[in-house]
Amino acid sequence: MHEISLLKNVREILEEHAISEKFSKVIKVTLEIGKLSSVEPDALRFGFDVVMKDSLAENAELLISELNGLGLCQQCGQQVELETSYDPCPHCDSPFIKVIQGAEMKIKDLSVI
Ligand SMILES: [Zn+2]
């Protein structure tokens, strides 16, 4: 499951931040998931407790905020909302749309002590 490796990545980032920002426990993590990132929120929730076990984020609360996909049409220059990376432009039907938002997952917010 590709969510597990993403979560391991998150855990590593948290551990690095704990050293540089001198905190010892994570209470709450907010992850922002782009709708085009092919990350399943349910799979993340499922994997979170498993991956964070025995880390500074063990028992932390996970919040997930979803970010809409946005693209820029390379033909007519309009900004369009995307449900998938393959949507054509609703204005001119062009398939050439550059994704400008929603393809990534990132840590949006952290509560730590
Ligand atoms: Zn267009």
Side-chain angles (χ1 to χ4, degrees), residues 65-93:
S65 102
E66 286 192 273
L67 189 66
N68 281 338
L70 274 184
L72 190 65
C73 177
Q74 302 297 283
Q75 189 157 300
C76 71
Q78 301 231 43
Q79 192 165 302
V80 297
E81 274 205 29
L82 298 172
E83 286 298 319
T84 74
S85 333
Y86 318 106
D87 286 354
C89 176
H91 305 289
C92 71
D93 243 6

Side-chain angles (χ1 to χ4, degrees), residues 18-43:
I19 296 167
S20 60
E21 288 159 40
K22 299 182 174 41
F23 60 82
S24 57
K25 194 156 175 48
V26 177
I27 307 297
K28 192 157 76 178
V29 185
T30 306
L31 295 179
E32 186 172 73
I33 304 171
K35 283 190 176 167
L36 309 177
S37 66
S38 75
V39 175
E40 286 291 330
D42 285 346

Side-chain angles (χ1 to χ4, degrees), residues 48-74:
F48 186 78
D49 290 342
V50 178
V51 173
M52 298 306 161
K53 195 170 177 352
D54 297 325
S55 80
L56 75 171
E58 183 166 14
N59 298 324
E61 185 186 349
L62 173 65
L63 295 179
I64 292 176
S65 102
E66 286 192 273
L67 189 66
N68 281 338
L70 274 184
L72 190 65
C73 177
Q74 302 297 283

